[in-house]
């Protein structure tokens, strides 16, 4: 069964500090890995998408890495801001080029709280 | 563009009642999806559509129905509501499948919070 495990479940950091969120997956065959940010009471918003051939991708202060060999990804947030307080969701899709849309596995998310 | 819009934002239903959650997107996306998100859990796919007139079941379709008569609209119908359907429902859309090429992201609506008592 495809699984996506995220750690830690929750994290509290001070404003201005860096942090790293982890995502381990057992999805196979691998198509892509996406990171989303979900503010409280809102829908998820895409941060990055990576295929198997990409091992790093940045979006402003967010940098995602991917190790397809160990099936691990991380999301690094630099110089955190209060607005970074949210849930961060890792999503892994399988079967490259398969048009069946029902092949994405969502992690449970990491809740990040940034305090002043 | 408004993106993906959902109505209502919040609803309380009694057990056995029915309702339709509305979802509209103005990005001319072929793919649309309905997910539910229970507290502390990952999103689970209920139904999806790859184009007008074409729908298919996701991971947790029992108790729900969908239709896709136009590209823009993808309503989700709950028949005979049960407490287990208490959740937050998200509609999403994308130009291609998440596993398609080129890689496409999904755009999510703001969600509908449903409470069944």
């Amino acid at each position: 069964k495809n699984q996506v495990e995220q750690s830690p479940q929750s994290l509290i950091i001070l404003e201005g500090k860096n942090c790293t969120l982890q995502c381990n997956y057992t999805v196979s065959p691998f198509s892509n890995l996406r990171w989303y940010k979900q503010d409280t009471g809102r829908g998820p918003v895409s941060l990055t998408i990576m295929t198997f051939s990409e091992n790093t991708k940045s979006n402003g202060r967010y940098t995602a890495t991917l190790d397809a060999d160990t099936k691990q990804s991380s999301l690094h947030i630099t110089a955190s801001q209060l607005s970074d307080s949210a849930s961060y969701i890792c999503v892994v899709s399988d079967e490259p080029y398969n048009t069946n849309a029902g092949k994405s596995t969502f992690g449970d998310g990491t809740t990040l709280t940034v305090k002043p | 563009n408004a993106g993906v819009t959902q109505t209502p934002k919040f609803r309380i239903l009694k057990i056995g009642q029915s309702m339709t959650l509305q979802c509209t997107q103005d990005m001319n996306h072929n793919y649309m999806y309905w997910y539910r998100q229970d507290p502390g859990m990952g999103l689970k796919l209920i139904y999806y559509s790859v184009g007008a007139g074409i729908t298919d079941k996701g991971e947790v379709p029992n108790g729900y129905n969908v239709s896709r008569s136009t590209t823009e609209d993808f309503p989700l119908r709950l028949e005979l509501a049960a407490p287990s359907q208490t959740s937050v429902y998200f509609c999403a859309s994308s130009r291609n499948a998440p596993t398609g090429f080129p890689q496409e992201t999904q755009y999510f609506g703001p969600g509908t919070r449903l409470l069944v008592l």
Side-chain angles (χ1 to χ4, degrees):
Chain A
K1 180 181 176 183
N2 290 337
Q3 288 187 309
V4 175
E5 303 281 346
Q6 292 189 243
S7 62
Q9 192 172 37
S10 61
L11 181 63
I12 301 174
I13 62 173
L14 292 176
E15 187 179 12
K17 298 295 186 183
N18 303 335
C19 68
T20 300
L21 314 180
Q22 299 291 342
C23 174
N24 296 339
Y25 61 93
T26 61
V27 175
S28 182
F30 174 84
S31 174
N32 64 70
L33 186 146
R34 290 166 277 154
W35 282 96
Y36 287 90
K37 178 187 179 190
Q38 184 177 20
D39 293 319
T40 301
R42 309 290 290 272
V45 174
S46 178
L47 293 175
T48 62
I49 303 175
M50 287 185 292
T51 63
F52 66 90
S53 60
E54 298 172 296
N55 54 25
T56 187
K57 184 164 279 190
S58 292
N59 179 354
R61 294 180 296 103
Y62 301 100
T63 299
T65 64
L66 173 65
D67 186 333
D69 291 331
T70 62
K71 298 186 177 181
Q72 295 180 324
S73 176
S74 65
L75 181 69
H76 186 74
I77 304 174
T78 304
S80 61
Q81 301 176 357
L82 298 179
S83 59
D84 292 331
S85 294
S87 177
Y88 292 84
I89 302 170
C90 176
V91 185
V92 184
S93 296
D94 65 0
E95 301 193 23
Y97 311 122
N98 188 332
T99 56
N100 183 342
K103 297 289 185 181
S104 294
T105 304
F106 285 71
D108 291 344
T110 291
T111 300
L112 174 66
T113 302
V114 180
K115 294 198 168 183
Chain B
N1 286 349
V4 179
T5 57
Q6 293 182 239
T7 58
K9 289 183 179 172
F10 176 67
R11 182 78 181 267
I12 298 175
L13 280 184
K14 293 183 179 178
I15 293 172
Q17 286 186 320
S18 300
M19 77 164 292
T20 299
L21 282 66
Q22 301 292 344
C23 174
T24 300
Q25 53 92 9
D26 63 359
M27 296 173 281
N28 202 31
H29 285 169
N30 290 322
Y31 289 76
M32 295 188 74
Y33 320 78
W34 275 106
Y35 293 92
R36 60 176 288 171
Q37 185 177 36
D38 298 328
M41 306 289 286
L43 278 74
K44 302 292 185 187
L45 183 65
I46 304 171
Y47 271 96
Y48 66 97
S49 168
V50 301
I54 307 170
T55 63
D56 206 349
K57 297 178 181 178
E59 223 178 320
V60 290
N62 291 344
Y64 307 94
N65 276 301
V66 293
S67 59
R68 183 101 181 265
S69 56
T70 67
T71 299
E72 296 78 20
D73 300 308
F74 190 40
L76 177 71
R77 179 82 178 161
L78 277 73
E79 305 281 3
L80 300 175
S84 61
Q85 293 177 305
T86 293
S87 189
V88 181
Y89 292 84
F90 289 101
C91 179
S93 73
S94 63
R95 187 165 52 182
N96 283 341
T99 56
F101 186 84
Q103 307 292 333
E104 292 282 348
T105 190
Q106 289 173 297
Y107 295 85
F108 285 83
T112 293
R113 188 175 299 272
L114 178 66
L115 181 61
V116 182
L117 300 174

